Amino acid sequence: MTTSDQFLEDNKANYEDLYQNDKLFVQYPMDHVVRFHAYYLQYHMPTGKILDYGCGSGNNSSFYLQRGYDVHGVDVAEGSLEQIKENLNMYGLPPEKIDKFKIIPPDESALPYENGYFDMILSNQVLYYHATEARIRARCKELARVLRPGGLVFLTMMGAQNYYFTHHTKRIHDKETCEVILEDT
């Protein structure tokens, strides 16, 4: 197993633990997702199919489902499905919507969707878990495959000047890799 494969497996195990122990149950959509909808999406794409790549607890997915979008989600941690169900229930969304959320292996190269299936792809703080530039590029190519021509992409990633990096990191290994250390969390 390569180092980047091990990184993906370790990340999956970490999230499984967090979801199984309810340490990472996010109920509300991220503020930048809400702002994107309020200032742009509701005017330029008021309906459509959205892929929430790395959907986690379904907090962002639930936000878009409430607004009438056809939302599908993928994540690597099986424990996320229970939290997605909780979020759907909390917002009074039909439980059968859970059928549109899938668990995929962390190293899966192909997403289980047809070419051009989605109108928008949302990926909030996920792509850097692929650990290498080659894997990130391959994942972006696969995301582009399932996005319709002219579709929208809303991706977020932490940059080097992010608060977590500037205040809570320790450089490890090759000095290009950071370990984020958050006390008392």
Side-chain angles (χ1 to χ4, degrees), residues 8-20 24 26 51-61 71-84 87 98-108 110-113 118 122-127 129-130 139 143:
L8 289 171
E9 288 300 322
D10 290 348
N11 179 59
K12 177 185 175 189
N14 180 53
Y15 274 91
E16 284 292 356
D17 178 58
L18 290 170
Y19 291 137
Q20 294 297 329
L24 191 69
V26 181
L51 173 62
D52 188 352
Y53 178 76
C55 60
S57 65
N59 55 312
N60 295 321
S61 295
V71 181
H72 299 247
V74 295
D75 204 283
V76 297
E78 299 242 356
S80 68
L81 289 176
E82 282 305 311
Q83 293 193 352
I84 291 167
N87 263 326
I98 193 71
D99 294 341
K100 294 187 177 189
F101 292 86
K102 301 179 184 329
I103 301 303
I104 59 172
D107 60 349
E108 182 65 45
L111 293 170
Y113 304 101
F118 294 102
L122 163 68
S123 184
N124 185 53
Q125 305 294 329
V126 174
L127 286 177
Y129 287 114
H130 288 286
R139 179 50 56 200
L143 290 172

Side-chain angles (χ1 to χ4, degrees), residues 13-155:
N14 180 53
Y15 274 91
E16 284 292 356
D17 178 58
L18 290 170
Y19 291 137
Q20 294 297 329
N21 295 307
D22 289 330
K23 295 178 191 170
L24 191 69
F25 180 56
V26 181
Q27 296 176 338
Y28 306 106
M30 301 305 295
D31 59 344
H32 49 273
V33 170
V34 173
R35 284 194 310 270
F36 176 69
H37 182 265
Y39 295 121
Y40 184 82
L41 195 61
Q42 70 178 339
Y43 303 110
H44 299 279
M45 195 185 99
T47 63
K49 288 183 186 169
I50 296 175
L51 173 62
D52 188 352
Y53 178 76
C55 60
S57 65
N59 55 312
N60 295 321
S61 295
S62 294
F63 174 79
Y64 285 120
L65 283 165
Q66 286 179 287
R67 280 144 188 83
Y69 293 92
D70 180 10
V71 181
H72 299 247
V74 295
D75 204 283
V76 297
E78 299 242 356
S80 68
L81 289 176
E82 282 305 311
Q83 293 193 352
I84 291 167
K85 285 180 190 174
E86 284 187 48
N87 263 326
L88 293 175
N89 185 49
M90 184 175 79
Y91 289 108
L93 297 164
E96 62 270 11
K97 297 278 186 187
I98 193 71
D99 294 341
K100 294 187 177 189
F101 292 86
K102 301 179 184 329
I103 301 303
I104 59 172
D107 60 349
E108 182 65 45
S109 60
L111 293 170
Y113 304 101
E114 298 170 17
N115 294 349
Y117 189 75
F118 294 102
D119 299 302
M120 180 180 135
I121 301 210
L122 163 68
S123 184
N124 185 53
Q125 305 294 329
V126 174
L127 286 177
Y128 46 74
Y129 287 114
H130 288 286
T132 66
E133 182 178 344
R135 284 196 177 199
I136 292 171
R137 286 182 182 277
R139 179 50 56 200
C140 287
K141 186 175 181 179
E142 179 61 6
L143 290 172
R145 181 191 67 77
V146 299
L147 183 67
R148 73 166 166 78
L152 300 172
V153 177
F154 186 70
L155 306 174

Side-chain angles (χ1 to χ4, degrees), residues 151-167:
L152 300 172
V153 177
F154 186 70
L155 306 174
T156 63
M157 290 182 61
M158 284 190 249
Q161 297 306 309
N162 180 283
Y163 175 79
Y164 292 110
F165 288 112
T166 60
H167 291 82

